[in-house]
Amino acid sequence: MIAFSRNDNSLVSRWWWTVDRWMLVLILALTMVGIWLTLTASPAVAERIGLGPLHFVKKQTAFLTLGLALVVGVSMMSTATIRRIAVIGFPISLILMALTLVIGPEIKGATRWLPLGIFTLQPSEFLKPFFFVTTAWILSAHFRGEDIPAKRVATALYLVVVGFLILQPDFGQTVLVTAVWLSQMALAGLPLMWLTLAGIVAIMGLGLGYAFLPHVASRIDRFINPASGDTFQIDKAIQAFEAGGMLGKGPGEGAVKLTLPDAHADYIFAVIGEEFGAIACIMLLMLFAGVVLRGLSHLIEEDNSFRLLAAAGLIIQFGLQTLINIGVNLAVLPSKGMTLPFVSYGGSSMLALAIGMGMVLALTRRNRFIQQDIDPLGWKAAE
């Protein structure tokens, strides 16, 4: 049992008394579920493509271990440090995304990855938390009384990000980034008229994607009319939920992982439904909801505009990504390759989410005994 005195002024002690331990426990629970489900779902996938049965289990365990270290390490940082990391990480992520267009391998018609030896980096995953925190810093300038066109600058950065995502192309990430960015703009006080106009432009962008990007049109067509194309993966997912019923067929007894290519990744929720049933799916949803609600509850009385906008953006990203993954598995959203946070297989996504949730824990730390510090730029930041 960890025990620290309130009089202990060490970094670890201050972190222990200020961090949201319940949210930390929920994130730890999700990672444990992720390892367990990878152990259940991935051996069949690995053997089918000629790898060792524990190939994905070993890699996922390594990613989750590093991810937990990142969650804890980042959560110990001050608000000022979180902001600086985001402002530095954002342009670096953009440069890496540009490199994917030049030297990245084309996989399934997209160039989103950079091969780094045994690890394949997807820069767009890391771009998201850095972009949302940078956007929060810019938008909060208005509340600090600084005379800069904050909303225009934030809009310009958003257009740059979306431009790179479309070039890859990655339409699903574009939709996610747009939704979170609009949420932050709304929280920053963007008038309803401009929000409505932005929503119309976003819908027009979706229409243009449908008109000019064949893979987007194909996915939407198959969602609206399953008979118009190959719906093998989603059909198998729905069959898995039907076979699992309320209580499931039992651990290891599922059949969907034997045929579904992404059973350990984008469609791991279908494996849960088949082997553990609808009740287990609902319990997992409650874990995700707990993380989101715990995070948002800290922001109700938040008086620091930067912390409010940054933490809200990161929490909304976490929640939306969860809903998109589950929505695709349940055939209520068009097919999109997006991981289930901390559960499905994916190294870049896992590490980027760990950084993002570590930032949330850092931005929501509270203790009346901890004083404020002033960074060199003169902005207040809670330890």
Side-chain angles (χ1 to χ4, degrees):
M1 177 67 182
I2 300 176
F4 296 105
S5 168
R6 286 186 179 271
N7 296 323
D8 184 354
N9 201 36
S10 67
L11 175 64
V12 176
S13 180
R14 284 183 293 165
W15 169 79
W16 178 251
W17 287 110
T18 56
V19 75
D20 185 341
R21 282 170 273 176
W22 278 110
M23 190 188 296
L24 193 61
V25 168
L26 290 172
I27 293 172
L28 177 61
L30 286 174
T31 62
M32 295 300 101
V33 170
I35 293 176
W36 181 26
L37 292 173
T38 303
L39 185 60
T40 296
S42 69
V45 178
E47 291 182 334
R48 191 165 59 246
I49 59 178
L51 299 172
L54 298 181
H55 173 80
F56 293 115
V57 176
K58 293 176 181 177
K59 293 187 69 173
Q60 183 75 338
T61 302
F63 288 135
L64 285 170
T65 302
L66 180 55
L68 283 176
L70 281 172
V71 169
V72 174
V74 174
S75 69
M76 291 183 176
M77 298 177 181
S78 69
T79 301
T81 303
I82 294 296
R83 183 181 63 245
R84 292 178 186 125
I85 289 175
V87 171
I88 294 171
F90 175 59
I92 292 175
S93 298
L94 283 177
I95 292 171
L96 293 175
M97 286 182 68
L99 285 176
T100 65
L101 302 175
V102 179
I103 63 173
E106 183 175 325
I107 302 175
K108 297 180 180 179
T111 54
R112 305 171 189 167
W113 302 271
L114 287 174
L116 301 175
I118 62 172
F119 178 67
T120 302
L121 180 73
Q122 186 175 354
S124 60
E125 292 289 351
F126 295 91
L127 176 77
K128 290 184 291 185
F130 296 146
F131 171 62
F132 298 142
V133 175
T134 300
T135 298
W137 169 55
I138 294 169
L139 293 176
S140 65
H142 170 73
F143 299 95
R144 296 194 301 266
E146 298 185 23
D147 187 21
I148 65 171
K151 293 184 177 66
R152 294 180 185 178
V153 174
T155 301
L157 291 181
Y158 161 75
L159 292 175
V160 171
V161 169
V162 167
F164 274 110
L165 288 172
I166 291 175
L167 287 174
Q168 287 190 328
D170 194 338
F171 210 71
Q173 296 281 24
T174 301
V175 172
L176 176 62
V177 167
T178 299
V180 177
W181 178 78
L182 283 175
S183 300
Q184 289 183 300
M185 294 290 279
L187 288 171
L190 188 68
L192 181 60
M193 180 186 72
W194 288 105
L195 282 174
T196 303
L197 180 61
I200 293 173
V201 171
I203 293 173
M204 291 175 61
L206 182 63
L208 290 173
Y210 180 82
F212 294 102
L213 297 175
H215 73 284
V216 173
S218 174
R219 289 181 177 183
I220 294 176
D221 287 341
R222 283 178 288 163
F223 173 70
I224 296 174
N225 179 20
S228 64
D230 179 20
T231 58
F232 173 78
Q233 293 204 106
I234 192 60
D235 290 342
K236 286 294 182 180
I238 294 301
Q239 290 170 15
F241 288 113
E242 293 173 348
M246 292 298 292
L247 300 177
K249 299 171 68 174
E253 298 300 320
V256 68
K257 62 192 178 188
L258 301 177
T259 56
L260 202 57
D262 295 322
H264 65 311
D266 301 338
Y267 285 91
I268 199 167
F269 196 68
V271 177
I272 302 171
E274 183 178 28
E275 298 194 2
F276 302 98
I279 293 177
C281 291
I282 293 172
M283 292 175 66
L284 182 59
L285 278 172
M286 291 175 66
L287 281 179
F288 285 113
V291 173
V292 173
L293 293 176
R294 287 292 301 186
L296 294 178
S297 67
H298 289 289
L299 305 181
I300 295 175
E301 298 180 356
E302 177 59 66
D303 57 1
N304 182 295
S305 58
F306 168 69
R307 284 198 296 262
L308 171 63
L309 292 169
L314 293 168
I315 294 166
I316 291 170
Q317 177 212 336
F318 179 88
L320 282 179
Q321 185 163 329
T322 301
L323 290 178
I324 290 172
N325 177 277
I326 294 175
V328 169
N329 275 251
L330 295 173
V332 296
L333 290 175
S335 177
K336 169 67 190 90
M338 195 169 291
T339 61
L340 188 60
F342 295 111
V343 175
S344 55
Y345 178 81
S348 293
S349 176
M350 178 70 64
L351 299 180
L353 282 164
I355 292 172
M357 295 314 295
M359 287 178 167
V360 170
L361 287 167
L363 294 167
T364 57
R365 283 168 56 188
R366 297 290 182 271
N367 192 313
R368 64 188 180 88
F369 297 106
I370 301 299
Q371 296 181 344
Q372 301 280 330
D373 70 302
I374 305 295
D375 69 13
L377 296 179
W379 301 327
K380 291 184 177 181
E383 279 278 326

